[in-house]
Structure formats: C-alpha cells, structure tokens
Amino acid sequence: MFGRYRGTFRSESGEILIEVEEGDGLLTYRRRCGEDKFERILVTRMAEVIINPVEPVNLPKDITNFLMIEFPPLMIEPGVSSTVYLKFPVEFGVFVESARDIEVADIFAPTTQKYTLYGTPTRGLIARWYGSEVYSEIPEVDLYREGVMEFTITNTYREWVEVSRVVFESVDMKIYYGDFVASTATMRILGPNLAETDFIDAPPRPGMVKSIELYTARKISALNRGYLMEWGLS
C-alpha cells in the first residue's frame, strides 16, 4: 500500500481501502479506514498520489508536535551507551505531487490516539502517548499500526539513571518504510532528570524508502534541534 501511484488505482489491506477512480473526466480520491471515510476530487493531468507513514501526531486533529513513548524502566550505568528497540504508532499520509508542487491530501490511522501531559500543568506540554515494550532485536509489528524505533541511550551522567519514557519533537522525525515502518533516535542523559533526544536521518536496515515529511509538504521551515527533557525521565 505504501508507495507511488499514477492515474487510477485501488489498494486494499484489511480495514483500509484507498482508490482513485475516473468519472466524467475527473479523478476522485476515496479512502476508507474502518468506519471512517474520506473523499476528494483531484483536478490534475499528471500528478502522482504518494502514500507513506508520517509523523504520528496529527490525529484526531493538530494538538501537539510532541511524541512520548513509555516503556518498562531501564537502569543505565554511568558512561554506558546501549541500543534497544521500541514500537511507535503509525499514521498514514497521502500526498498529491506534480512537477511543481506537493500537497497533503489526507491523513488517517486505523488506531485510536492517546495524549498525556509531560511536566507541570502550567509549564508542561501535551504529547501523543504510546506504550511499548523494550526489545533487544527488531520486533515483529503490525505494518499499518506500529513502527520500530532503533533507540540508542547514552548515559553521560556520573551516576546510574532510571529511564522509562522518552519525549521527542516530531518536527525532527525521519521515517522509513519497507517490510516495516522504522525510525532511528537517540537519548543523551545529562542528569538524573535531564536528557536530550533527537532523531537520526538513517534507517535501521539498508534499502528502506524515506517517507515524505509533513513539514516539507506544508512548506514549514524546521530546524533539526532535538528536544531537552526537563521534566523527568521516568
């Protein structure tokens, strides 16, 4: 289902159906995801329709740019760096691309979304919440519901630190897809309750295709600056 399509097509997998049909000289884009349906007329000659996973912070509406993943506690030794794997939620982005421009046509997901507060009620932030186990190897996932995050933690602090959550700024997120959806991220522990998080623009396996980023399609300038977690790591 992920990929590029030109002209009319129909792609169906489980509860998801995406199609472009021609009638009366016009192309009509239709999407069904469970009980949710969406339709839009496309006035175009040569445009391609692109379907790929996008930053999972857009539904049910634009609430936040932040993603929090919570997992069983990890105790990180001073000076140690380790790589584990987490799962993260997947959202679909549908784009229309011509020779001169690209635009977002639709965003959807077959899952429900949960949000949480990170920090204090007055100074904290709202984040998309997702719970994951911790894996030593790339786990099996439901391709259209969850992705795999290669997550490297480095403890630069002088003491052992417990970590059971990570918060990311989704503007920096780089997503790839192939046999599964994937992203690569890092956490650098600076203190018992302080850490820097960021994404790396590289897939965990070679040969994966890079997704179009929503911020690119929306012509929004974004600096890859990472995020400083100031409200605790667990």
Side-chain angles (χ1 to χ4, degrees):
M1 181 169 288
F2 295 138
R4 290 176 172 265
Y5 301 86
R6 186 182 293 276
T8 60
F9 71 92
R10 178 185 176 94
S11 182
E12 186 171 8
S13 179
E15 60 184 322
I16 301 173
L17 167 66
I18 300 175
E19 64 181 356
V20 172
E21 291 185 333
E22 185 174 3
D24 298 326
L26 296 174
L27 294 177
T28 300
Y29 165 82
R30 293 190 183 92
R31 181 263 299 163
R32 185 189 74 237
C33 183
E35 298 298 318
D36 185 28
K37 297 180 181 180
F38 181 79
E39 182 174 306
R40 178 164 290 178
I41 294 174
L42 305 177
V43 181
T44 176
R45 294 179 180 177
M46 300 294 293
E48 284 188 318
V49 174
I50 305 166
I51 306 170
N52 64 217
V54 294
E55 306 90 314
V57 293
N58 305 283
L59 301 172
K61 58 182 179 180
D62 290 335
I63 296 175
T64 180
N65 290 333
F66 295 92
L67 170 67
M68 176 191 289
I69 302 176
E70 203 158 7
F71 45 85
L74 300 173
M75 290 296 296
I76 313 298
E77 182 182 352
V80 166
S81 181
S82 181
T83 298
V84 296
Y85 296 90
L86 305 174
K87 293 182 179 181
F88 66 91
V90 167
E91 292 181 6
F92 285 67
V94 181
F95 305 84
V96 285
E97 183 180 45
S98 64
R100 296 183 178 181
D101 192 25
I102 184 168
E103 189 61 59
V104 183
D106 188 18
I107 300 174
F108 67 94
T111 57
T112 57
Q113 299 79 40
K114 295 182 180 180
Y115 290 83
T116 189
L117 174 67
Y118 176 63
T120 66
T122 56
R123 297 182 58 196
L125 55 87
I126 301 297
R128 169 79 188 274
W129 180 91
Y130 196 76
S132 173
E133 295 298 320
V134 178
Y135 304 89
S136 60
E137 299 179 345
I138 295 176
E140 293 185 2
V141 292
D142 184 331
L143 177 61
Y144 300 135
R145 291 176 177 268
E146 55 193 6
V148 175
M149 179 178 291
E150 185 176 272
F151 182 48
T152 300
I153 310 175
T154 302
N155 185 4
T156 66
Y157 189 55
R158 64 180 180 274
E159 299 176 4
W160 287 78
V161 176
E162 180 179 298
V163 179
S164 62
R165 61 182 174 180
V166 59
V167 179
F168 297 105
E169 166 64 82
S170 69
V171 175
D172 301 328
M173 193 170 190
K174 315 299 179 186
I175 300 177
Y176 288 79
Y177 64 92
D179 294 335
F180 59 96
V181 177
S183 188
T184 305
T186 62
M187 169 186 272
R188 190 165 70 96
I189 299 171
L190 306 175
N193 296 297
L194 189 67
E196 291 178 340
T197 65
D198 203 356
F199 289 99
I200 296 174
D201 193 1
R205 284 184 179 172
M208 302 186 82
V209 179
K210 185 177 180 179
S211 289
I212 296 171
E213 300 169 50
L214 284 174
Y215 293 93
T216 300
R218 289 170 173 166
K219 292 83 175 175
I220 299 174
S221 298
L223 298 175
N224 188 350
R225 58 192 177 191
Y227 177 67
L228 181 64
M229 293 181 61
E230 301 177 272
W231 302 104
L233 310 182
S234 60

